[in-house]
Amino acid sequence: MNTGQIRVLVVDDDPDDFYLVNEMLKQSQRKAFVVTHCESLECAGQVLQRSPVDIVLLDLGLGPLQGIQTLESFLSLGFCTPVIVLTGVHDEVLGEQSIKLGAEDYLPKNEASSALLIRAITYAIERYALVEQLEKRANEDALTGLANRHALMGQTTTLINNLERSGSTLAVALLDLDDFKGVNDRWGHNAGDQVIVALAHRLQSHLRSSDLVARIGGDEFVWVLTNYSSADNLVDVIEKKLSYLMQPLVLEEYPDDPKQLIKVSLGVAEWKPGLGLKELLSRADKAMYQSKKSRNQGVVIY
Ligand SMILES: Nc1nc2c(ncn2[C@@H]2O[C@H](COP(=O)(O)OP(=O)(O)OP(=O)(O)O)[C@@H](O)[C@H]2O)c(=O)[nH]1
């Protein structure tokens, strides 16, 4: 949140109500509110596209849009902004529905005072930021910042569901570091961490926007490749990446002495209609173990 100014978008088709809200917010001693007004969701979408705000105050009666449908329509615009429903209708059921859908608060207009509104806005913004932070942590691997297993499952399942319609291509590559225990033992745990972070960065660089990379275990990573043209093209892309991944690494402790510390075994499974992520991962795992057994750091396709 911008601590100096709080940017508020009021979406309300009654200009008098907007005037009242604006007057209430002007009474704040501590915060400066910059208030913008829209009379429709269309206008709100355009304003939010141009410049984000810290909070939206949404009336539930906007012309033909009435009740919970108004909130649903606003949320379906997909903007990451906290919303307080500020409405003329005092209805407990509607209030609960609004919170369940994702609104931060539900305030009947006739109960709103300057102090209450300012407090509701301030707390809603803080709460929203906190939940965003927790969500990020729940989906992120702390050491590398990559998606974790939980995030991988969710995002890849969405990709696979879309594939059933688009008929595009997808493959799952499972990578496991070779002799990583030896790296820790010989060079120390800090060096091991640097290896993992470097591998994560290398995996992420030059990635297609629809591809995904995740760390799913200590030394295990998954790369979801999408939209490749053929199986040959898939192997080409992976082999190129593999030689980049295994380039020597400069450890903090040995700035002038790059070391060959990244060796990986890699197994791949291609998506076919009807296959889910669990099955793909299990196939990629089998291929990866074959790659590990052969010890030639090559790509094995299931
Ligand atoms: N430095 C560091 N080490 C980790 C981390 N997570 C797991 N490890 C270590 O990674 C090692 C993985 O050991 P193994 O599963 O035997 O794997 P490996 O030594 O690569 O053996 P192979 O896979 O058979 O080649 C263990 O020693 C773990 O302690 C981490 O975040 N940082």
Side-chain angles (χ1 to χ4, degrees):
M1 177 180 25
N2 181 334
T3 46
Q5 290 188 331
I6 297 183
R7 298 157 301 174
V8 182
L9 173 62
V10 178
V11 189
D12 194 320
D13 63 358
D14 186 336
D16 291 341
D17 284 352
F18 165 65
Y19 176 80
L20 283 176
V21 168
N22 206 11
E23 289 302 307
M24 284 185 207
L25 296 181
K26 273 186 196 164
Q27 290 176 38
S28 174
Q29 308 282 327
R30 290 185 51 234
K31 313 255 179 199
F33 290 91
V34 179
V35 189
T36 312
H37 179 214
C38 274
E39 294 195 0
S40 67
L41 284 192
E42 203 185 0
C43 164
Q46 286 163 2
V47 166
L48 291 172
Q49 196 96 53
R50 275 202 305 274
S51 52
V53 298
D54 297 304
I55 193 141
V56 171
L57 304 184
L58 180 71
D59 185 20
L60 291 187
L62 295 176
L65 277 177
Q66 292 295 323
I68 204 70
Q69 198 195 352
T70 314
L71 178 60
E72 283 170 342
S73 302
F74 175 78
L75 295 174
S76 73
L77 296 176
F79 293 102
C80 295
T81 310
V83 184
I84 291 178
V85 171
L86 186 62
T87 177
V89 187
H90 188 168
D91 179 332
E92 279 183 22
V93 176
L94 200 53
E96 273 181 39
Q97 277 180 329
S98 301
I99 303 302
K100 277 187 184 145
L101 268 182
E104 294 297 324
D105 213 334
Y106 179 95
L107 300 177
K109 284 178 184 172
N110 62 356
E111 289 176 18
S113 64
S114 173
L116 182 101
L117 193 57
I118 290 167
R119 198 168 57 227
I121 289 176
T122 312
Y123 291 0
I125 292 172
E126 292 300 339
R127 213 167 36 241
Y128 188 84
L130 194 65
V131 170
E132 262 194 330
Q133 232 180 49
L134 291 175
E135 274 174 5
K136 190 165 175 277
R137 261 188 237 161
N139 286 298
E140 199 178 83
D141 168 52
L143 180 60
T144 61
L146 290 183
N148 60 19
R149 182 186 287 270
H150 172 72
L152 172 82
M153 297 311 268
Q155 291 172 22
T156 313
T157 303
T158 309
L159 279 177
I160 289 176
N161 290 343
N162 292 339
L163 276 185
E164 300 276 0
R165 282 192 297 276
S166 71
S168 184
T169 48
L170 180 143
V172 168
L174 184 67
L175 295 89
D176 187 285
L177 278 162
D178 291 337
D179 189 27
F180 186 52
K181 187 176 175 312
V183 171
N184 275 328
D185 291 348
R186 276 193 296 280
W187 304 99
H189 202 267
N190 182 39
D193 281 1
Q194 289 176 60
V195 166
I196 286 175
V197 170
L199 179 56
H201 285 162
R202 289 177 185 185
L203 270 168
Q204 265 186 311
S205 69
H206 310 298
L207 207 62
R208 281 191 187 164
S209 61
S210 53
D211 285 8
L212 286 174
V213 174
R215 182 183 180 208
I216 61 163
D219 63 349
E220 264 195 334
F221 295 78
V222 168
W223 174 18
V224 180
L225 297 100
T226 53
N227 294 319
Y228 52 87
S229 54
S230 64
D232 284 348
N233 174 233
L234 173 67
V235 174
D236 272 0
V237 171
I238 294 177
E239 277 179 347
K240 231 183 247 162
K241 179 73 120 188
L242 204 50
S243 66
Y244 170 60
L245 294 180
M246 296 203 268
Q247 280 177 9
L249 176 68
V250 178
L251 294 175
E252 285 159 12
E253 297 84 346
Y254 306 93
D256 303 319
D257 184 14
K259 298 188 186 308
Q260 185 65 55
L261 296 178
I262 303 181
K263 291 184 188 142
V264 294
S265 296
L266 195 153
V268 185
E270 270 199 277
W271 178 80
K272 303 270 180 308
L275 277 186
L277 178 58
K278 256 185 158 173
E279 177 60 22
L280 275 172
L281 278 174
S282 147
R283 290 181 176 195
D285 193 48
K286 285 181 186 131
M288 191 276 292
Y289 271 99
Q290 242 181 294
S291 159
K292 192 155 290 247
K293 259 200 324 213
S294 74
R295 298 201 158 270
N296 65 2
Q297 266 96 54
V299 179
V300 175
I301 311 260
Y302 178 86

